[in-house]
Amino acid sequence: MKPDGESERPSLVSLRGVPMIKTFADVMEEVDGFQAHPGDLLISTYPKSGTTWISEVIDLIYKGGDVEKCRHQPIYLRVPFLEFSVHGVPSGIELLKKAPRPCLIKTHLPVQLLPKSFWEKDCKMIYVARNAKDVAVSYYYFYQMAKVHPDPGTWDEFLEKFMAGDISFGSWYDHVKGWWDKRKEQRMLYLLYEDMKEDPQREIRKVMEFLERPPDDRLVEEIAHHTSFKEMSQNQMANYTSIPTSIMDHKISPFMRKGITGDWKNQFTVAQNERFDADYQRQMEGTTLHFRTEI
Ligand code: PPS
């Protein structure tokens, strides 16, 4: 038992070989049977890769840049999280049952676990990937504050688990490569967090083109402004502060933590970096997918 009424951290279960939060795995039968609408837009990411950022960008595009309309609801209600299921709050499937369709849908599922209906209905998909080192750091702090995760242990222990893929949603390496390999078979836009940091307006234009929206410089500028890290971290409808603290405790680490590329340099030791790089080469060998770890 933990002191002060703090609940025990749950362990992960294996869902067809992918480590998964148990309450998420429990609803996978329902998720498998989910019927996508041809007009639904899927936002897919490995955790901590810019999901909330791209979701806010896309919601603003859909709402013609109307910030007030986006402020009516928190991001997790505007963009239901397909496989999300935690006691005491509505699950992704429950939200989607009530949502006006077509709609925006978030997932962190590895490509092989995506319900087949998304492929059959030829839904458009936007995937965002972020470099492994910054994801590992961001995930380490998120594991601490989002209590549905197991205890991350020390940073060194967590980094080992990251390299082994022994964390919620499994291997980062398999995830980014799996979705990359599918991008040509599907109507998919594959974006990189580092590109969004480097030139948000350029990437917003790409998204608008993919969504067949007319180019509009003023709209692009407005969206870039409202989705900057500074703006989003202060926006209660985007920063997850409206989630009960029993689920996310921002006092441990804020959801909107730093929002930069290269924070890994403040976390990795030289030895950890060398070991990580060697393992990275092995795991990413042969892929045409390349990341920048600084911009
Ligand atoms: S989750 O829980 O998987 O959905 O998290 P996700 O939204 O994918 O990733 C959270 C990280 O993204 C950063 N973030 C941003 N960076 C730049 N600009 C904007 N607008 C932005 N919004 C969120 C957030 O701070 C997390 O990264 P870290 O490195 O932890 O700061």
Side-chain angles (χ1 to χ4, degrees):
M1 281 289 285
K2 296 261 160 137
D4 302 332
E6 194 184 316
S7 56
E8 291 288 340
R9 294 296 191 105
S11 43
L12 300 175
V13 297
S14 171
L15 178 74
R16 287 169 244 153
V18 178
M20 187 70 68
I21 293 165
K22 184 174 179 306
T23 50
F24 288 24
D26 288 345
V27 295
M28 267 316 275
E29 224 179 273
E30 262 189 288
V31 170
D32 277 340
F34 175 73
Q35 288 304 307
H37 181 287
D40 288 340
L41 177 72
L42 186 74
I43 298 171
S44 173
T45 56
Y46 188 81
K48 313 324 289 177
S49 302
T51 330
T52 317
W53 187 8
I54 195 72
S55 298
E56 191 71 18
V57 165
I58 297 169
D59 194 36
L60 271 161
I61 294 175
Y62 271 40
K63 293 182 173 137
D66 190 330
V67 179
E68 288 318 310
K69 270 194 193 159
C70 293
R71 293 221 165 128
H72 283 167
Q73 282 186 313
I75 192 72
Y76 48 86
L77 297 182
R78 287 181 277 139
V79 185
F81 180 7
L82 179 63
E83 63 275 13
F84 176 84
S85 169
V86 171
H87 300 301
V89 281
S91 70
I93 289 287
E94 278 163 353
L95 292 176
L96 285 163
K97 275 183 190 155
K98 290 191 221 142
R101 304 286 289 281
C103 65
L104 303 176
I105 303 174
K106 158 182 169 176
T107 187
H108 288 320
L109 290 173
V111 74
Q112 73 277 14
L113 294 186
L114 187 73
K116 62 177 187 311
S117 166
F118 284 99
W119 309 111
E120 289 166 355
K121 300 279 166 55
D122 195 27
C123 294
K124 281 191 178 179
M125 304 177 179
I126 296 186
Y127 187 86
V128 183
R130 184 183 191 186
N131 81 80
K133 291 179 183 178
D134 283 327
V135 169
V137 174
S138 181
Y139 214 176
Y140 173 60
Y141 287 100
F142 188 60
Y143 247 61
Q144 297 179 44
M145 69 87 78
K147 297 170 191 169
V148 291
H149 298 100
D151 187 331
T154 64
W155 160 242
D156 198 54
E157 285 163 351
F158 185 80
L159 192 60
E160 288 299 321
K161 286 188 211 143
F162 184 93
M163 288 189 271
D166 189 14
I167 47 179
S168 176
F169 292 101
S171 160
W172 173 90
Y173 311 86
D174 291 348
H175 206 284
V176 296
K177 286 188 291 181
W179 282 93
W180 178 250
D181 291 345
K182 272 276 185 194
R183 77 196 184 285
K184 287 189 181 147
E185 291 171 35
Q186 191 74 17
R187 299 194 294 163
M188 191 192 301
L189 180 66
Y190 198 106
L191 298 173
L192 300 176
Y193 180 98
E194 293 73 28
D195 292 347
M196 289 168 62
K197 279 300 299 181
E198 182 181 63
D199 190 343
Q201 294 198 22
R202 178 190 64 208
E203 299 307 299
I204 293 168
R205 268 188 217 101
K206 263 191 215 169
V207 173
M208 286 177 65
E209 197 183 323
F210 178 70
L211 297 175
E212 296 162 74
R213 305 283 152 149
D216 180 336
D217 285 347
R218 196 191 47 81
L219 183 61
V220 169
E221 262 171 50
E222 269 174 26
I223 294 177
H225 170 73
H226 289 299
T227 57
S228 69
F229 180 76
K230 188 166 173 273
E231 288 292 318
M232 279 184 62
S233 35
Q234 288 162 8
N235 176 357
Q236 286 185 354
M237 294 302 164
N239 66 13
Y240 280 92
T241 50
S242 56
I243 283 244
T245 47
S246 57
I247 299 176
M248 286 188 191
D249 189 344
H250 297 262
K251 284 203 221 82
I252 297 175
S253 176
F255 182 90
M256 296 286 174
R257 201 180 55 90
K258 290 194 181 175
I260 57 171
T261 293
D263 186 42
W264 62 272
K265 290 180 200 162
N266 300 314
Q267 189 77 31
F268 281 63
T269 63
V270 172
Q272 283 167 345
N273 194 37
E274 281 172 5
R275 191 173 139 58
F276 192 90
D277 283 347
D279 177 70
Y280 188 92
Q281 265 205 330
R282 185 184 60 76
Q283 298 216 49
M284 296 298 276
E285 203 184 338
T287 179
T288 53
L289 175 60
H290 299 293
F291 288 89
R292 289 182 289 167
T293 53
E294 51 194 318
I295 48 174

